[in-house]
Amino acid sequence: MTSTDAAASELLAAFEGYLRHERGLSGNTVRAYLGDLLNLGAHLGVLRADGIDAALAGVALADLRSWLAAMDGDGLSRTTLARRGAAARAFFAWASDTGRIVPNPALRLASARPATVLPTVLTAAEVETLLGVARTRADDGDPVHLRDWAAVEMLYATGMRVGELAGVDLGDLDLGERLVRVVGKGDKERVVPFGVPAAVATTTWLERGRPALVSEATGSALLLGRRGQRVDQRQVREAVHELCRLAGVDEVAPHALRHTAATHLLTGGSDLRSVQEVLGHASLATTQRYTHVSAERLRAAYHLAHPRA
């Protein structure tokens, strides 16, 4: 490794520490930002012989704009462009605040707004079919099938992210009060209620499924894989995909159950602030997109049913 490579690695490591410990960003976001910066470095030829500090000092707003323009020309999505612009702004603001560069070339960098894409949402009938299949399949007593039933019930009941569900420990669960403590993005905690069906599925898993999988590697994890370790996100995703196929509904990712829970809460009369708290959104604007989903469904129903639509 050259001295320039080493300096670049140290710089990115310092920035990673800032993102994780001061900004409190999730691991996925941190990894995405670091990848974005490596892409920027490749575009600008930052790793050059005169050193990383000199290269950073030479970056101008026009360079950053040309980077975004090149990616736009390559057909990257607006969502990716928006995130890469955010990564650049975060990096150069940090570099400026820590005295590594003056001035900040990204101060006036604008990027495309993410495209407004309505999230995938299942109908109430589709959810009932999906959960019914999960419940019926669990009748065979297979501990993994019992786990999958509990997982999909909890995902829909609480609107949790799949990574949040995988991270739930036994001590986070209060079956008597039907509450679960969730650790979300930036290690922010929230307490989310859930209903009787999710409580029944989870109790059945704890009584009949989990004991059959417990091993020395289990620890305090609520949901387990077949080898007794904490379930990982991939296993939950595969379970949801398989249950969708068995139920004959559109194959969706676990995150669609989060979208569905939010939309059904709003459709059922819940207020926006309450849904924001359940989902753990930092901004109410993020929650508001579910009102668009509800409005689209209402508009579709109106056009189908109203004689003068």
Side-chain angles (χ1 to χ4, degrees):
M1 178 184 291
T2 67
S3 59
T4 302
D5 291 336
S9 297
E10 291 174 6
L11 185 73
L12 288 179
F15 181 58
E16 179 181 1
Y18 160 75
L19 293 176
R20 290 184 183 277
H21 306 303
E22 295 188 40
R23 290 277 300 275
L25 299 184
S26 70
N28 288 339
T29 301
V30 171
R31 284 189 291 274
Y33 274 25
L34 294 177
D36 294 338
L37 291 174
L38 290 174
N39 182 277
L40 172 61
H43 176 81
L44 299 177
V46 164
L47 303 183
R48 61 192 198 194
D50 54 355
I52 189 72
D53 292 332
L56 281 177
V59 175
L61 177 61
D63 297 320
L64 300 177
R65 286 174 173 167
S66 74
W67 173 55
L68 295 178
M71 291 186 292
D72 185 44
D74 289 339
L76 270 68
S77 71
R78 290 173 63 190
T79 300
T80 299
L81 290 176
R83 192 201 65 225
R84 289 193 166 176
R89 284 191 295 274
F91 174 75
F92 284 104
W94 167 80
S96 176
D97 291 343
T98 54
R100 288 174 168 84
I101 57 167
V102 178
N104 175 1
L107 200 57
R108 294 188 292 114
L109 179 66
S111 61
R113 292 184 179 181
T116 302
V117 179
L118 294 179
T120 301
V121 173
L122 299 177
T123 66
E126 288 172 329
V127 173
E128 284 298 322
T129 300
L130 176 65
L131 298 180
V133 166
R135 181 176 62 251
T136 301
R137 190 178 69 151
D139 287 341
D140 65 4
D142 186 319
V144 170
H145 293 169
L146 290 166
R147 180 206 67 196
D148 293 346
W149 176 31
V152 292
E153 284 281 5
M154 288 296 286
L155 285 170
Y156 176 62
T158 64
M160 274 192 281
R161 302 175 179 91
V162 64
E164 294 171 344
L165 176 64
V168 171
D169 289 331
L170 293 173
D172 297 327
L173 195 66
D174 186 337
L175 284 169
E177 296 294 327
R178 298 204 300 274
L179 297 171
V180 59
R181 185 179 71 94
V182 181
V183 180
K185 291 184 176 181
D187 291 330
K188 294 179 180 177
E189 295 183 7
R190 64 188 190 276
V191 176
V192 183
F194 54 89
V196 172
V200 170
T202 304
T203 300
T204 306
W205 152 251
L206 289 173
E207 292 176 351
R208 295 171 46 203
R210 190 177 186 276
L213 298 180
V214 167
S215 71
E216 293 181 357
T218 294
S220 60
L222 171 64
L223 299 181
L224 307 177
R226 203 174 277 282
R227 296 182 179 180
Q229 297 177 317
R230 181 183 297 274
V231 73
D232 62 36
Q233 297 183 39
R234 177 187 53 79
Q235 292 169 315
V236 178
R237 290 193 184 94
E238 289 176 352
V240 172
H241 286 306
E242 183 178 0
L243 288 170
C244 286
R245 289 193 292 269
L246 292 172
V249 302
D250 289 340
E251 198 168 324
V252 297
H255 210 69
L257 293 176
R258 174 174 166 86
H259 297 322
T260 301
T263 303
H264 290 180
L265 281 170
L266 287 170
T267 303
S270 182
D271 65 276
L272 208 56
R273 286 288 182 187
S274 297
V275 176
Q276 179 189 11
E277 290 183 20
V278 167
L279 298 183
H281 286 155
S283 169
L284 190 62
T286 307
T287 315
Q288 283 176 325
R289 66 177 173 161
Y290 295 109
T291 63
H292 300 310
V293 178
S294 300
E296 286 296 321
R297 288 184 175 274
L298 179 61
R299 186 176 294 110
Y302 177 88
H303 282 294
L304 283 173
H306 199 287
R308 296 180 69 87

